[in-house]
Amino acid sequence: MKKNRFDILLVNDDGYDAEGIKLAKKMLDKYGDVTIVAPLYPMSATSTSITIKNTMEYRRINEYTYAIGGSPADCVAFGVSVLKNHNFDFIVSGINHGYNISHDTMHSGTIGAANQSLILGKPCLAFSAEVGLINAEKLFDEAMKFILGKNLISNEYILNINFPSSREYRGIMLTKLAKMHEEVIFYNDNTKIKRSRNVEYEKDENSDYQALKNGFISITPLNYVTFDKATYEKIKNN
């Protein structure tokens, strides 16, 4: 995708007024025309859920920002399907407040929006950073230069980009998802329960977790398809 200026749809799962999406808008303005369609309220951990029975609240905040009372995936669908005066070159999801790595990508609303993008035939870049967005502004252009320079934007996969929090930036790594071991904990006070967890990651120098820990920007290619071809062929031929 070689262009000087792009038509970009920007979404997130933290809400239209979140600091991350404001920062993303600021950083993306130099790359093209940016239209925001984002949830009215925080919608983290909603994956690729969509609204199919209830109506959704809708607000036009300003000339380039729309807020939808639905999920991040709803926001992508609205942008692509309703804003017909645009033909978006690609979609950006984020910048999320908190990493999206390992198995957490399955639950993430940020990645869920990216999944919806691929379903609708649009390329998507998903950006995340540690809470506080440490290094996100400083390193955003590094990531974009790498992605555009290598012509990596494609509607065949998602690029999941995470910015390290380390003060010592060491470069960019193409990574795979870390293997996570998770212990789920529920706290109960007899009237309500709250979910928590303990996690450990297997050591793998090529994983997203390890790359971030070592001060690298992590870029992981993801696909929304859950079909397992190898297992299909094995069972079919058994």
Side-chain angles (χ1 to χ4, degrees), residues 47 106 198:
S47 189
M106 296 174 61
N198 293 321

Side-chain angles (χ1 to χ4, degrees), residues 228-238:
D228 189 331
K229 183 177 180 180
T231 302
Y232 169 79
E233 295 293 345
K234 180 180 178 181
I235 295 173
K236 180 181 177 182
N237 297 322
N238 189 343

Side-chain angles (χ1 to χ4, degrees), residues 51 57 123 147 155 183 206:
T51 304
E57 189 176 353
I147 292 165
N155 61 7
E183 177 192 12
N206 295 312

Side-chain angles (χ1 to χ4, degrees), residues 99 130 134-135 138-139 163-170 211-216:
Y99 291 142
E130 189 174 50
I134 300 169
N135 281 343
K138 178 182 175 182
L139 298 177
F163 296 109
S165 60
S166 171
R167 292 183 180 179
E168 182 182 354
Y169 169 60
R170 298 179 61 189
L212 291 167
K213 187 176 180 181
N214 292 339
F216 289 90

